[in-house]
Amino acid sequence: MDSYNQTFTGFILLGLFPPSKIGLFLFILIVLIFLTAWIGNLSMILLILLDSHLHTPMYFLLSQLSLIDLNYISTIVPKMVSDFMLGNKYISFIGCGFQIFLFLTFGGAETLLLASMAYDRYVAICFPLHYATHMNKRVCVIMITGAWILGSINSCAHTGYALQIPYCRSRAINHFFCDVPAMLTLACTDTWVYEYTVFVSTILFLVFPFIGIVCSYGRVFLAIYRMHSRAGKKKAYSTCSTHLTVVTFYYAPFAYTYLRPRSLRSPEEDKILAVFYTVLTPMLNPIIYSLRNKEVIGALRRMTHRICFAKI
């Protein structure tokens, strides 16, 4: 075992796709989802950038969400695809650490950004007269910068610990990316202290923001209920229900995965849950926000008309 550790300086990712026709079908499906996510998020970023009607705090935050999702899914899926196509599931020790850092940075930043978006809707609907003061450009920049910085700090701490753990068992990670909890099963030392820090980190980056989001939307829906304008009610409800849909798809499987003790976890279940927050959510976000948002649809029509008119 010792000689094995000295000569082998990386890991093997067992992956998501079984070696069968079902695996091939899942592979094609994941590739299509990846392309859809790239097209959708990139289109959302360009649309918000180019259409002056969308130059508001809400869409500024949404453009950042699309940017995070674009990088988030690119951290995971290309490696999955290359592993399946080339049959080489090896990832170097440094490559694994880099993937952990990017995954946790983008994941942490997204949880905080979603909370910021909830606060934006809370101020817009509950305090519309103070919206320009409480959600100006400076506040948005502080929120976004804070999300990136805190996500990076959290990621550095976990990545540093994961890279210094002595791994003296099989180097086969039963996952499709370098997920720290999956790597802990390969450690030859007691990791209960670190597992406790993972639990605390999950509380700080998932549970607390989620509680804040629920409280914000509790006040928001109460304010919507008291509205006299039907059109205002419909618009507010559409915007808020859209955001809640995104939050549910992202927070629920993420929190369920990381809050469970190791004794209650299974590799197969963890991989299925991970697909939701690493692959499906980055694809669904731009679709949900575009199809259920009249302002985005209107901007898309204006942009299409502008492009067609320019060609003529």
Side-chain angles (χ1 to χ4, degrees):
M1 181 66 72
D2 291 337
S3 61
Y4 179 80
N5 280 328
Q6 292 171 1
T7 58
F8 194 83
T9 57
F11 297 95
I12 298 296
L13 297 172
L14 297 184
L16 179 67
F17 313 117
S20 62
K21 290 183 179 180
I22 295 176
L24 180 60
F25 170 76
L26 291 175
F27 167 76
I28 295 171
L29 185 62
I30 292 293
V31 171
L32 291 176
I33 290 173
F34 176 73
L35 294 175
T36 304
W38 250 87
I39 294 170
N41 285 294
L42 190 59
S43 299
M44 188 69 75
I45 293 170
L46 293 175
L47 193 63
I48 294 171
L49 180 67
L50 298 174
D51 194 290
S52 59
H53 294 84
L54 301 181
H55 291 175
T56 63
M58 185 181 84
Y59 292 107
F60 184 45
L61 294 172
L62 180 56
S63 68
Q64 288 297 306
L65 180 64
S66 292
L67 179 63
I68 289 174
D69 283 338
L70 203 61
N71 288 281
Y72 198 25
I73 195 169
S74 299
T75 301
I76 305 297
V77 174
K79 176 60 179 171
M80 288 173 60
V81 171
S82 65
D83 287 351
F84 185 81
M85 292 182 66
L86 302 177
N88 180 18
K89 299 184 178 183
Y90 171 80
I91 184 169
S92 67
F93 192 73
I94 299 301
C96 193
F98 191 58
Q99 190 180 56
I100 293 170
F101 174 77
L102 292 178
F103 165 71
L104 292 177
T105 297
F106 297 135
E110 181 157 343
T111 62
L112 298 177
L113 186 63
L114 288 172
S116 299
M117 293 173 71
Y119 175 75
D120 171 76
R121 291 299 85 203
Y122 165 70
V123 176
I125 294 171
C126 297
F127 304 99
L129 298 179
H130 302 283
Y131 182 73
T133 304
H134 293 311
M135 282 302 297
N136 53 43
K137 188 175 182 180
R138 179 174 170 274
V139 173
C140 286
V141 170
I142 291 173
M143 284 180 168
I144 292 167
T145 305
W148 281 101
I149 291 175
L150 291 174
S152 300
I153 292 172
N154 177 66
S155 179
C156 284
H158 288 287
T159 304
Y161 186 88
L163 293 182
Q164 62 88 32
I165 293 176
Y167 296 100
C168 56
R169 300 178 187 176
S170 167
R171 293 297 181 96
I173 301 174
N174 197 357
H175 217 299
F176 56 84
F177 69 98
C178 289
D179 188 35
V180 175
M183 294 171 65
L184 292 181
T185 61
L186 309 179
C188 57
T189 59
D190 192 355
T191 59
W192 73 268
V193 175
Y194 177 66
E195 288 178 39
Y196 178 75
T197 64
V198 171
F199 180 82
V200 172
S201 182
T202 304
I203 295 292
L204 293 175
F205 278 85
L206 285 173
V207 177
F208 283 173
F210 183 73
I211 291 173
I213 290 171
V214 170
C215 292
S216 295
Y217 278 110
R219 292 288 302 274
V220 165
F221 283 119
L222 185 61
I224 293 173
Y225 178 76
R226 292 172 178 171
M227 283 182 179
H228 299 292
S229 169
R230 269 192 171 183
K233 273 188 176 182
K234 187 175 181 181
K235 182 180 178 181
Y237 179 76
S238 175
T239 304
C240 295
S241 60
T242 296
H243 187 206
L244 278 177
T245 303
V246 172
V247 166
T248 302
F249 268 108
Y250 186 72
Y251 277 87
F254 215 151
Y256 181 70
T257 298
Y258 283 85
L259 288 177
R260 285 178 302 160
R262 187 193 294 186
S263 59
L264 298 179
R265 300 177 63 173
S266 70
E268 297 306 318
E269 190 177 43
D270 283 354
K271 285 191 279 188
I272 293 171
L273 290 170
V275 169
F276 279 91
Y277 56 82
T278 61
V279 181
L280 291 180
T281 300
M283 178 201 69
L284 290 173
N285 282 352
I287 294 175
I288 291 172
Y289 276 109
S290 60
L291 293 180
R292 300 200 61 188
N293 192 308
K294 291 183 178 180
E295 291 178 344
V296 173
I297 293 174
L300 186 60
R301 286 173 179 168
R302 287 191 296 272
M303 190 61 61
T304 306
H305 181 266
R306 193 185 306 172
I307 293 171
C308 294
F309 183 76
K311 287 183 178 180
I312 293 174

